[in-house]
Amino acid sequence: MTYAHDIIRKPIISERSMEPVFDKSGKQINKYTFEVAVNANKIQIKKAVEEVFGVQVADVNTMRVMGKVKRMGRYEGRRASWKKAIVTLKPESKTIEFFEM
C-alpha cells in the first residue's frame, strides 16, 4: 500500500512552472508541477493530490526525466532519473496555497 506523501515527493518551483497559463478565452488555468515517485501512475497521482491538498484534479500529464551524466575529475557518474507530473485543476476547484507568492 502506498501513501499519498510517498507518491508526491516535492513541488517543482521554477520560473517556468510558476508562470500563469491561459486558455483560448483568456481564463487562467491552474497548473502545478510535482516530482513524483517513478512507479506512480496518473490515477495514483490524481488521488494523492486530491487527498493531500483537498482540490479537484481535471488532468494529469507525466514525463520521465533522465538523469544527467556528471564528472568529478576522471570519474564519471549519473544522477538519478525521476518522474515529473503536471497537474491541472478543475475551474471550480480552489487553488493550492503552497504555490502562491
Side-chain angles (χ1 to χ4, degrees):
M1 178 172 194
T2 57
Y3 297 103
H5 290 287
D6 294 334
I7 293 172
I8 301 173
R9 296 266 170 86
K10 64 181 180 180
I12 297 174
I13 301 174
S14 65
E15 288 183 22
R16 177 97 190 257
S17 68
M18 298 300 290
E19 192 173 279
V21 179
F22 297 96
D23 64 0
K24 293 177 183 176
S25 65
K27 286 184 67 177
Q28 185 173 348
I29 301 171
N30 294 326
K31 284 192 174 189
Y32 301 99
T33 309
F34 297 97
E35 180 181 332
V36 296
V38 176
N39 58 353
N41 61 30
K42 292 182 181 187
I43 297 167
Q44 292 172 332
I45 295 168
K46 178 179 177 177
K47 288 180 181 178
V49 171
E50 288 177 344
E51 180 183 328
V52 171
F53 297 106
V55 295
Q56 297 173 346
V57 176
D59 190 31
V60 177
N61 295 13
T62 60
M63 62 194 78
R64 294 286 306 263
V65 180
M66 301 308 289
K68 293 181 178 181
V69 175
K70 291 292 188 176
R71 291 184 48 179
M72 181 72 84
R74 67 179 184 164
Y75 301 104
E76 193 172 274
R78 186 174 192 91
R79 287 186 181 170
S81 298
W82 53 286
K83 192 173 197 176
K84 179 173 22 175
I86 300 172
V87 177
T88 306
L89 301 183
K90 291 184 179 176
E92 63 271 5
S93 178
K94 65 175 188 161
T95 60
I96 298 176
E97 287 81 21
F98 187 81
F99 287 92
E100 301 302 320
M101 291 188 160

